[in-house]
Amino acid sequence: MTVLRPATPAEALRLYASRPKAAPLAGGTDFMVAWNMALHNGREVLDLSRLKEWARIERKGGFVAIGALCTHTRIRENVLIAKEFPLLAEACSTVGAWAIQNRGTLGGNIANASPAGDTFPALAVYDAVIRTAGPRGTRRIPILEVFAGVKKTTLGPSELIEAVELPFSKRRPDRALFRKVGTRAAQAISKTVAAGQLWLGRGGLVEDVRLGLGSMAVTVRRLSAVEAALKGRKLDPTGVERALALLGKDVSPIDDIRSTAEYRMTVSRNIIRSFLLP
């Protein structure tokens, strides 16, 4: 086996362009599982661990840039993230156990493209943008457009995730939500994972609302139909139930080894209802 260890992003991109079938390696928490299943047999490995430029958290004008190689632990413990993007910090604290958080990276998690990614609903309600680098230069892809299906992304050949950009909100939400439901309190793949932000205006009308769910479709979903039904209205039980009845337009959960579609829908509705009607 050949392990390529570039020292700079430019070198990494050159190597990847010349060896597009190489397997990128970040924290390795998903990579090693696939390795043990012999899914990487015969492949060259592109080890990205030396790219310090991609392991920074930086404030840049109207957004914060989180390097793709930042671990969940580093994000969870970062003061700026905790203050401005607390849902992401909370989501990072639910990823596996501390050993996984210490190794696993945000960019690697996104590239793995699991429907159950714990951070994805938070990134969705923060309108995250994924910055990539490749042979054709830099691209910025909205988080909801980077996933193409289960374990599939819209990244092009030899394209790597460089950073995740989170725009600062003009004003803090009146309410915020993060909730993961799994079989256990830790080291569990989510049955459903929810994130939300709510802004109220004059007279208690919903000025804006953002809701995201993971493990409820082949990719993370913003609840566009539910959000549209809530905007401009008061949060009363009748209106909330009317909006929640549209959840099936936004998500399509399945029965699998972890849960049933019916359970996922019921629990997700309960989580969102308790958020909207505390």
Side-chain angles (χ1 to χ4, degrees), residues 90-145:
E90 189 173 355
C92 286
S93 73
T94 70
V95 176
W98 283 6
I100 298 296
Q101 294 171 27
N102 289 342
R103 288 290 306 173
T105 66
L106 185 60
N109 201 215
I110 293 168
N112 189 52
S114 166
D118 292 330
T119 62
F120 300 165
L123 294 175
V125 301
Y126 284 139
D127 288 334
V129 173
I130 311 305
R131 190 173 77 227
T132 68
R136 297 185 178 182
T138 299
R139 283 202 301 159
R140 284 175 167 81
I141 311 169
I143 183 68
L144 296 178
E145 296 177 16

Side-chain angles (χ1 to χ4, degrees), residues 58-65 131 165 168:
E58 300 176 297
R59 184 169 192 149
K60 296 188 174 182
F63 65 90
V64 62
R131 190 173 77 227
E165 299 177 349
F168 293 112

Side-chain angles (χ1 to χ4, degrees), residues 129-256:
V129 173
I130 311 305
R131 190 173 77 227
T132 68
R136 297 185 178 182
T138 299
R139 283 202 301 159
R140 284 175 167 81
I141 311 169
I143 183 68
L144 296 178
E145 296 177 16
V146 79
F147 301 115
V150 179
K151 301 285 186 175
K152 297 178 181 178
T153 71
T154 58
L155 298 183
S158 300
E159 193 171 24
L160 294 169
I161 297 173
E162 183 178 42
V164 176
E165 299 177 349
L166 300 176
F168 293 112
S169 178
K170 293 181 179 178
R171 77 176 176 93
R172 295 186 184 281
D174 295 289
R175 297 180 205 164
L177 161 74
F178 179 80
R179 177 75 184 278
K180 173 180 175 175
V181 176
T183 303
R184 300 178 301 276
Q187 300 199 87
I189 299 175
S190 61
K191 298 182 180 186
T192 182
V193 55
Q197 296 189 98
L198 174 69
W199 290 265
L200 297 174
R202 287 186 177 182
L205 298 180
V206 175
E207 184 177 300
D208 195 10
V209 60
R210 302 177 190 173
L211 299 166
L213 284 177
S215 288
M216 293 291 288
V218 295
T219 65
V220 62
R221 294 292 169 84
R222 274 282 294 274
L223 308 186
S224 302
V226 176
E227 292 175 2
L230 293 168
K231 289 179 182 178
R233 301 177 183 274
K234 281 194 173 182
L235 292 176
D236 59 78
T238 300
V240 168
E241 292 305 321
R242 187 181 298 117
L244 290 175
L246 301 174
L247 187 59
K249 290 188 175 182
D250 292 320
V251 296
S252 52
I254 62 171
D255 296 328
D256 64 14

Side-chain angles (χ1 to χ4, degrees), residues 62-83:
F63 65 90
V64 62
I66 303 174
L69 297 180
C70 284
T71 65
H72 295 95
T73 295
R74 187 169 182 191
I75 296 168
R76 170 172 58 83
E77 294 179 345
N78 184 270
V79 174
L80 178 61
I81 300 299
K83 179 182 177 182

